[in-house]
Amino acid sequence: MIRWSPDGKAFIVHKSVQNVIEVYKVTKKMDGFISSASKVLEFPQKHIGQPVGLDIACTGRYIISCSEDNDLIIWDLKGQPLATIELKLGSTHRARVSPCGRFVTTSGFTPDVNVWEVVFSKTGDFKQVSKAFDLTGHSSGVYDFNYNADTSRMATVSKDGTYHFYDTKIEFEKGEDPHTLMTGTWDVTTPANIALSPNGEVLVITHGTSLSFYSTVTGSLDKTITDIFNNPITCVTFDALGEYVLVSGDKHIKIFRNITGYRAAIASAKYKLKQRQTSAMKERLEKIIVDSRRFLQEMGEDCPE
């Protein structure tokens, strides 16, 4: 597993065989290309089981690592543990830091997804890790989960054959729970991964060697691309603008245009036009519809009326 630092000047690697985390500093040429990478730090070995999570907060304040043995560790940037959480997931499948850097989320054999808040003082000192909320509703283990760009939406995919889409813009400090906005079914072929577009209007699920696109606006399956690789897809993500979907497998990366996003944009704009809008917003929404339709027609894709 590998993750880049927020400033792009270093990356961390969790080596599976040795089960150690190493930090590498990157040296770049004048043209911006990488010339070399040298190891500058090795974290003390804490995990025994297979690593399932490695991430860096966008704030640069902390790093997380997690193994299938339910041991989630929060590290400082010097490789010293800030906190260790013993998860109660049976076995852990995934651990990630939210895009906002505030939360750490874990999923596993049990049907609930745990969301933890990593708290720092105003001066930047680490204070604690505390449970924020859970994503509930599945009846079996959760293979994967993901966030939109501002962590106001989350999606999960489960062994029970369903995916859930949640509103997580909540006041959990006051006891408010996430709201389930949509639930659907998917082709249960493992391993499975899920990704949510930055605006939260499209979610994609990889199952085996296939990639399925769902609109969270209409709640429907838009398209499935099959036989992308010979072996199962290992990872899926959107680019920062949500225009492309990247999938990895067979030691290759393939890039697909997010066509579903344009159809979802039309449906979303139509829905908003039914509500009371300012003249400027109405004009903007109408332009989104026109531009999206034009793009779909140019690509030879189905265009909603």
Short mmCIF file of all heavy atoms in Angstrom, two decimals, residues 36-87:
data_model
loop_
_atom_site.label_atom_id
_atom_site.label_comp_id
_atom_site.label_asym_id
_atom_site.label_seq_id
_atom_site.Cartn_x
_atom_site.Cartn_y
_atom_site.Cartn_z
N SER A 36 14.56 10.91 -7.92
CA SER A 36 14.92 9.85 -6.98
C SER A 36 14.00 9.88 -5.77
O SER A 36 13.30 10.87 -5.53
CB SER A 36 16.37 10.00 -6.52
OG SER A 36 16.53 11.21 -5.78
N ALA A 37 13.99 8.78 -5.03
CA ALA A 37 13.24 8.68 -3.78
C ALA A 37 14.10 7.93 -2.77
O ALA A 37 14.59 6.85 -3.07
CB ALA A 37 11.92 7.96 -4.00
N SER A 38 14.30 8.52 -1.62
CA SER A 38 15.17 7.91 -0.61
C SER A 38 14.41 7.71 0.70
O SER A 38 13.62 8.57 1.11
CB SER A 38 16.40 8.79 -0.36
OG SER A 38 16.01 10.10 -0.01
N LYS A 39 14.65 6.58 1.35
CA LYS A 39 13.98 6.29 2.61
C LYS A 39 14.54 7.16 3.72
O LYS A 39 15.75 7.24 3.91
CB LYS A 39 14.14 4.81 2.98
CG LYS A 39 13.31 4.41 4.20
CD LYS A 39 13.32 2.92 4.44
CE LYS A 39 14.58 2.49 5.15
NZ LYS A 39 14.51 1.08 5.61
N VAL A 40 13.64 7.83 4.44
CA VAL A 40 14.08 8.73 5.50
C VAL A 40 13.58 8.30 6.88
O VAL A 40 14.06 8.80 7.90
CB VAL A 40 13.60 10.18 5.23
CG1 VAL A 40 14.29 10.74 3.99
CG2 VAL A 40 12.08 10.25 5.07
N LEU A 41 12.63 7.36 6.91
CA LEU A 41 12.07 6.97 8.20
C LEU A 41 11.41 5.60 8.10
O LEU A 41 10.80 5.28 7.08
CB LEU A 41 11.03 8.00 8.66
CG LEU A 41 10.36 7.80 10.02
CD1 LEU A 41 11.38 7.88 11.15
CD2 LEU A 41 9.25 8.83 10.23
N GLU A 42 11.55 4.81 9.16
CA GLU A 42 10.84 3.53 9.26
C GLU A 42 10.09 3.51 10.59
O GLU A 42 10.68 3.72 11.65
CB GLU A 42 11.81 2.36 9.18
CG GLU A 42 11.11 1.00 9.23
CD GLU A 42 12.06 -0.17 9.00
OE1 GLU A 42 12.86 -0.10 8.04
OE2 GLU A 42 12.01 -1.14 9.79
N PHE A 43 8.79 3.27 10.52
CA PHE A 43 7.97 3.23 11.73
C PHE A 43 8.26 1.95 12.51
O PHE A 43 8.61 0.93 11.92
CB PHE A 43 6.49 3.26 11.38
CG PHE A 43 5.98 4.59 10.90
CD1 PHE A 43 6.83 5.55 10.40
CD2 PHE A 43 4.62 4.88 10.94
CE1 PHE A 43 6.36 6.78 9.95
CE2 PHE A 43 4.14 6.10 10.49
CZ PHE A 43 5.01 7.05 10.00
N PRO A 44 8.11 1.98 13.83
CA PRO A 44 8.24 0.74 14.61
C PRO A 44 7.16 -0.25 14.19
O PRO A 44 6.02 0.14 13.92
CB PRO A 44 8.06 1.20 16.06
CG PRO A 44 7.34 2.51 15.96
CD PRO A 44 7.81 3.14 14.70
N GLN A 45 7.51 -1.52 14.12
CA GLN A 45 6.55 -2.53 13.68
C GLN A 45 5.52 -2.79 14.78
O GLN A 45 5.86 -3.15 15.90
CB GLN A 45 7.26 -3.83 13.32
CG GLN A 45 6.34 -4.87 12.72
CD GLN A 45 7.09 -6.09 12.21
OE1 GLN A 45 8.30 -6.16 12.32
NE2 GLN A 45 6.37 -7.05 11.66
N LYS A 46 4.25 -2.59 14.43
CA LYS A 46 3.16 -2.77 15.39
C LYS A 46 2.14 -3.80 14.93
O LYS A 46 1.49 -4.45 15.75
CB LYS A 46 2.45 -1.43 15.62
CG LYS A 46 3.32 -0.35 16.26
CD LYS A 46 3.63 -0.67 17.71
CE LYS A 46 4.39 0.46 18.38
NZ LYS A 46 4.70 0.16 19.80
N HIS A 47 1.98 -3.93 13.61
CA HIS A 47 0.96 -4.83 13.08
C HIS A 47 1.54 -6.23 12.85
O HIS A 47 2.72 -6.38 12.52
CB HIS A 47 0.40 -4.30 11.76
CG HIS A 47 -0.29 -2.98 11.89
ND1 HIS A 47 -1.46 -2.81 12.58
CD2 HIS A 47 0.03 -1.74 11.40
CE1 HIS A 47 -1.84 -1.55 12.51
NE2 HIS A 47 -0.95 -0.88 11.81
N ILE A 48 0.67 -7.22 12.98
CA ILE A 48 1.04 -8.61 12.67
C ILE A 48 0.23 -9.11 11.47
O ILE A 48 0.76 -9.75 10.58
CB ILE A 48 0.79 -9.52 13.89
CG1 ILE A 48 1.69 -9.09 15.06
CG2 ILE A 48 1.05 -10.98 13.53
CD1 ILE A 48 1.46 -9.87 16.33
N GLY A 49 -1.06 -8.77 11.44
CA GLY A 49 -1.92 -9.23 10.37
C GLY A 49 -1.71 -8.47 9.07
O GLY A 49 -0.97 -7.48 8.99
N GLN A 50 -2.40 -8.92 8.02
CA GLN A 50 -2.32 -8.31 6.69
C GLN A 50 -2.81 -6.87 6.73
O GLN A 50 -3.87 -6.58 7.26
CB GLN A 50 -3.18 -9.11 5.71
CG GLN A 50 -3.18 -8.61 4.28
CD GLN A 50 -1.88 -8.92 3.56
OE1 GLN A 50 -1.08 -9.73 4.02
NE2 GLN A 50 -1.68 -8.28 2.42
N PRO A 51 -2.04 -5.91 6.18
CA PRO A 51 -2.48 -4.51 6.18
C PRO A 51 -3.70 -4.31 5.29
O PRO A 51 -3.76 -4.84 4.18
CB PRO A 51 -1.27 -3.75 5.64
CG PRO A 51 -0.47 -4.76 4.89
CD PRO A 51 -0.69 -6.06 5.59
N VAL A 52 -4.68 -3.53 5.77
CA VAL A 52 -5.90 -3.24 5.00
C VAL A 52 -6.16 -1.75 4.89
O VAL A 52 -7.09 -1.33 4.20
CB VAL A 52 -7.13 -3.93 5.62
CG1 VAL A 52 -6.98 -5.44 5.57
CG2 VAL A 52 -7.36 -3.46 7.05
N GLY A 53 -5.35 -0.93 5.57
CA GLY A 53 -5.57 0.50 5.51
C GLY A 53 -4.30 1.28 5.77
O GLY A 53 -3.53 0.96 6.68
N LEU A 54 -4.07 2.30 4.94
CA LEU A 54 -2.94 3.22 5.11
C LEU A 54 -3.38 4.55 4.50
O LEU A 54 -3.82 4.59 3.36
CB LEU A 54 -1.69 2.70 4.40
CG LEU A 54 -0.45 3.61 4.46
CD1 LEU A 54 0.12 3.64 5.88
CD2 LEU A 54 0.61 3.14 3.48
N ASP A 55 -3.27 5.63 5.27
CA ASP A 55 -3.75 6.91 4.76
C ASP A 55 -3.08 8.06 5.50
O ASP A 55 -2.57 7.88 6.63
CB ASP A 55 -5.27 7.01 4.91
CG ASP A 55 -5.93 7.68 3.72
OD1 ASP A 55 -5.22 8.34 2.93
OD2 ASP A 55 -7.16 7.53 3.56
N ILE A 56 -3.10 9.24 4.87
CA ILE A 56 -2.56 10.45 5.48
C ILE A 56 -3.65 11.51 5.46
O ILE A 56 -4.30 11.73 4.44
CB ILE A 56 -1.34 10.99 4.70
CG1 ILE A 56 -0.28 9.90 4.55
CG2 ILE A 56 -0.74 12.20 5.40
CD1 ILE A 56 0.91 10.34 3.71
N ALA A 57 -3.85 12.19 6.57
CA ALA A 57 -4.85 13.26 6.63
C ALA A 57 -4.41 14.41 5.74
O ALA A 57 -3.22 14.74 5.65
CB ALA A 57 -5.03 13.74 8.06
N CYS A 58 -5.39 15.05 5.07
CA CYS A 58 -5.07 16.16 4.17
C CYS A 58 -4.46 17.33 4.93
O CYS A 58 -3.78 18.18 4.34
CB CYS A 58 -6.33 16.61 3.44
SG CYS A 58 -7.61 17.30 4.52
N THR A 59 -4.69 17.38 6.24
CA THR A 59 -4.11 18.43 7.08
C THR A 59 -2.63 18.18 7.35
O THR A 59 -1.93 19.08 7.82
CB THR A 59 -4.84 18.49 8.42
OG1 THR A 59 -4.77 17.19 9.05
CG2 THR A 59 -6.31 18.86 8.23
N GLY A 60 -2.18 16.95 7.08
CA GLY A 60 -0.80 16.59 7.37
C GLY A 60 -0.53 16.36 8.84
O GLY A 60 0.63 16.23 9.25
N ARG A 61 -1.58 16.25 9.64
CA ARG A 61 -1.38 16.11 11.08
C ARG A 61 -1.14 14.68 11.54
O ARG A 61 -0.51 14.46 12.56
CB ARG A 61 -2.59 16.68 11.83
CG ARG A 61 -2.65 18.20 11.85
CD ARG A 61 -3.85 18.67 12.65
NE ARG A 61 -3.79 20.10 12.92
CZ ARG A 61 -4.72 20.78 13.58
NH1 ARG A 61 -5.78 20.13 14.04
NH2 ARG A 61 -4.59 22.07 13.79
N TYR A 62 -1.66 13.71 10.79
CA TYR A 62 -1.53 12.34 11.26
C TYR A 62 -1.60 11.35 10.10
O TYR A 62 -2.04 11.67 8.99
CB TYR A 62 -2.59 12.01 12.31
CG TYR A 62 -4.02 12.02 11.80
CD1 TYR A 62 -4.62 10.85 11.33
CD2 TYR A 62 -4.77 13.19 11.80
CE1 TYR A 62 -5.93 10.86 10.87
CE2 TYR A 62 -6.07 13.20 11.34
CZ TYR A 62 -6.65 12.03 10.88
OH TYR A 62 -7.94 12.04 10.41
N ILE A 63 -1.17 10.14 10.40
CA ILE A 63 -1.19 9.00 9.48
C ILE A 63 -1.94 7.87 10.17
O ILE A 63 -1.87 7.73 11.40
CB ILE A 63 0.24 8.56 9.14
CG1 ILE A 63 0.98 9.66 8.36
CG2 ILE A 63 0.26 7.25 8.34
CD1 ILE A 63 2.47 9.43 8.24
N ILE A 64 -2.67 7.07 9.41
CA ILE A 64 -3.30 5.89 10.00
C ILE A 64 -2.78 4.63 9.31
O ILE A 64 -2.39 4.65 8.14
CB ILE A 64 -4.83 5.91 9.89
CG1 ILE A 64 -5.28 5.71 8.43
CG2 ILE A 64 -5.41 7.18 10.47
CD1 ILE A 64 -6.67 5.13 8.28
N SER A 65 -2.77 3.55 10.07
CA SER A 65 -2.53 2.23 9.50
C SER A 65 -3.45 1.26 10.22
O SER A 65 -3.85 1.49 11.37
CB SER A 65 -1.07 1.80 9.66
OG SER A 65 -0.73 1.66 11.03
N CYS A 66 -3.80 0.17 9.53
CA CYS A 66 -4.73 -0.79 10.12
C CYS A 66 -4.49 -2.15 9.48
O CYS A 66 -4.17 -2.23 8.28
CB CYS A 66 -6.17 -0.34 9.90
SG CYS A 66 -7.41 -1.34 10.75
N SER A 67 -4.65 -3.20 10.26
CA SER A 67 -4.52 -4.55 9.73
C SER A 67 -5.85 -5.29 9.87
O SER A 67 -6.77 -4.81 10.54
CB SER A 67 -3.41 -5.32 10.45
OG SER A 67 -3.89 -5.90 11.65
N GLU A 68 -5.92 -6.45 9.26
CA GLU A 68 -7.14 -7.25 9.34
C GLU A 68 -7.41 -7.74 10.76
O GLU A 68 -8.50 -8.22 11.07
CB GLU A 68 -7.03 -8.45 8.40
CG GLU A 68 -5.89 -9.39 8.73
CD GLU A 68 -5.73 -10.51 7.72
OE1 GLU A 68 -6.49 -10.53 6.74
OE2 GLU A 68 -4.83 -11.36 7.93
N ASP A 69 -6.41 -7.60 11.64
CA ASP A 69 -6.56 -8.04 13.03
C ASP A 69 -7.23 -7.00 13.93
O ASP A 69 -7.14 -7.09 15.16
CB ASP A 69 -5.19 -8.40 13.62
CG ASP A 69 -4.60 -9.65 13.00
OD1 ASP A 69 -5.38 -10.44 12.44
OD2 ASP A 69 -3.37 -9.83 13.08
N ASN A 70 -7.86 -5.98 13.32
CA ASN A 70 -8.65 -4.99 14.08
C ASN A 70 -7.82 -4.02 14.90
O ASN A 70 -8.31 -3.48 15.90
CB ASN A 70 -9.66 -5.69 15.01
CG ASN A 70 -10.61 -6.59 14.25
OD1 ASN A 70 -11.24 -6.17 13.29
ND2 ASN A 70 -10.71 -7.84 14.68
N ASP A 71 -6.58 -3.78 14.52
CA ASP A 71 -5.75 -2.82 15.25
C ASP A 71 -5.52 -1.57 14.40
O ASP A 71 -4.74 -1.57 13.47
CB ASP A 71 -4.42 -3.44 15.68
CG ASP A 71 -3.72 -4.16 14.54
OD1 ASP A 71 -4.34 -4.37 13.47
OD2 ASP A 71 -2.54 -4.53 14.70
N LEU A 72 -6.24 -0.52 14.73
CA LEU A 72 -6.13 0.77 14.05
C LEU A 72 -5.18 1.66 14.84
O LEU A 72 -5.37 1.87 16.03
CB LEU A 72 -7.50 1.43 13.94
CG LEU A 72 -7.55 2.88 13.44
CD1 LEU A 72 -7.08 2.96 11.99
CD2 LEU A 72 -8.95 3.46 13.60
N ILE A 73 -4.14 2.16 14.16
CA ILE A 73 -3.15 3.00 14.83
C ILE A 73 -3.13 4.39 14.19
O ILE A 73 -3.09 4.52 12.97
CB ILE A 73 -1.74 2.38 14.76
CG1 ILE A 73 -1.73 1.00 15.41
CG2 ILE A 73 -0.72 3.29 15.44
CD1 ILE A 73 -0.40 0.28 15.32
N ILE A 74 -3.18 5.41 15.04
CA ILE A 74 -3.01 6.79 14.61
C ILE A 74 -1.57 7.19 14.92
O ILE A 74 -1.13 7.08 16.07
CB ILE A 74 -3.98 7.75 15.35
CG1 ILE A 74 -5.41 7.18 15.36
CG2 ILE A 74 -3.93 9.13 14.75
CD1 ILE A 74 -6.05 7.07 14.02
N TRP A 75 -0.82 7.63 13.90
CA TRP A 75 0.60 7.97 14.06
C TRP A 75 0.80 9.47 13.87
O TRP A 75 0.06 10.12 13.12
CB TRP A 75 1.45 7.27 13.02
CG TRP A 75 1.31 5.79 12.90
CD1 TRP A 75 0.35 5.10 12.21
CD2 TRP A 75 2.19 4.79 13.44
NE1 TRP A 75 0.56 3.75 12.29
CE2 TRP A 75 1.69 3.52 13.04
CE3 TRP A 75 3.35 4.85 14.22
CZ2 TRP A 75 2.31 2.33 13.40
CZ3 TRP A 75 3.97 3.65 14.57
CH2 TRP A 75 3.45 2.42 14.17
N ASP A 76 1.84 10.01 14.51
CA ASP A 76 2.27 11.35 14.13
C ASP A 76 3.23 11.21 12.94
O ASP A 76 3.56 10.10 12.51
CB ASP A 76 2.91 12.10 15.31
CG ASP A 76 4.24 11.50 15.77
OD1 ASP A 76 4.83 10.68 15.05
OD2 ASP A 76 4.68 11.86 16.88
N LEU A 77 3.68 12.33 12.40
CA LEU A 77 4.49 12.28 11.19
C LEU A 77 5.91 11.79 11.43
O LEU A 77 6.65 11.54 10.48
CB LEU A 77 4.52 13.67 10.54
CG LEU A 77 3.16 14.25 10.13
CD1 LEU A 77 3.35 15.53 9.34
CD2 LEU A 77 2.34 13.25 9.34
N LYS A 78 6.28 11.63 12.70
CA LYS A 78 7.61 11.13 13.03
C LYS A 78 7.60 9.64 13.33
O LYS A 78 8.61 9.07 13.76
CB LYS A 78 8.17 11.90 14.23
CG LYS A 78 8.38 13.39 13.95
CD LYS A 78 8.94 14.11 15.16
CE LYS A 78 9.14 15.59 14.87
NZ LYS A 78 9.68 16.32 16.06
N GLY A 79 6.44 9.01 13.11
CA GLY A 79 6.36 7.57 13.30
C GLY A 79 6.11 7.13 14.72
O GLY A 79 6.37 5.97 15.07
N GLN A 80 5.57 8.02 15.54
CA GLN A 80 5.24 7.67 16.92
C GLN A 80 3.73 7.50 17.06
O GLN A 80 2.96 8.36 16.60
CB GLN A 80 5.73 8.75 17.89
CG GLN A 80 7.24 8.90 17.91
CD GLN A 80 7.94 7.60 18.27
OE1 GLN A 80 7.59 6.95 19.25
NE2 GLN A 80 8.94 7.22 17.47
N PRO A 81 3.27 6.41 17.68
CA PRO A 81 1.83 6.19 17.83
C PRO A 81 1.18 7.25 18.74
O PRO A 81 1.68 7.54 19.82
CB PRO A 81 1.75 4.81 18.48
CG PRO A 81 3.06 4.16 18.19
CD PRO A 81 4.06 5.27 18.18
N LEU A 82 0.09 7.83 18.25
CA LEU A 82 -0.69 8.77 19.06
C LEU A 82 -1.82 8.04 19.78
O LEU A 82 -2.18 8.40 20.90
CB LEU A 82 -1.28 9.86 18.16
CG LEU A 82 -0.29 10.78 17.45
CD1 LEU A 82 -1.02 11.67 16.46
CD2 LEU A 82 0.46 11.63 18.47
N ALA A 83 -2.39 7.03 19.12
CA ALA A 83 -3.48 6.27 19.72
C ALA A 83 -3.60 4.93 19.00
O ALA A 83 -3.30 4.83 17.80
CB ALA A 83 -4.79 7.04 19.63
N THR A 84 -4.04 3.93 19.73
CA THR A 84 -4.33 2.61 19.15
C THR A 84 -5.76 2.24 19.53
O THR A 84 -6.13 2.30 20.70
CB THR A 84 -3.36 1.55 19.67
OG1 THR A 84 -2.02 1.91 19.31
CG2 THR A 84 -3.69 0.19 19.07
N ILE A 85 -6.54 1.87 18.53
CA ILE A 85 -7.94 1.52 18.76
C ILE A 85 -8.14 0.05 18.42
O ILE A 85 -7.78 -0.40 17.33
CB ILE A 85 -8.88 2.38 17.89
CG1 ILE A 85 -8.67 3.87 18.19
CG2 ILE A 85 -10.33 1.99 18.12
CD1 ILE A 85 -9.40 4.78 17.25
N GLU A 86 -8.70 -0.68 19.36
CA GLU A 86 -9.03 -2.09 19.12
C GLU A 86 -10.45 -2.14 18.55
O GLU A 86 -11.42 -1.91 19.26
CB GLU A 86 -8.94 -2.90 20.41
CG GLU A 86 -9.20 -4.38 20.20
CD GLU A 86 -9.08 -5.19 21.48
OE1 GLU A 86 -8.58 -4.64 22.48
OE2 GLU A 86 -9.50 -6.36 21.47
N LEU A 87 -10.53 -2.40 17.26
CA LEU A 87 -11.83 -2.42 16.59
C LEU A 87 -12.58 -3.70 16.91
O LEU A 87 -11.97 -4.73 17.17
CB LEU A 87 -11.63 -2.30 15.08
CG LEU A 87 -10.82 -1.08 14.61
CD1 LEU A 87 -10.51 -1.19 13.12
CD2 LEU A 87 -11.58 0.21 14.90
#
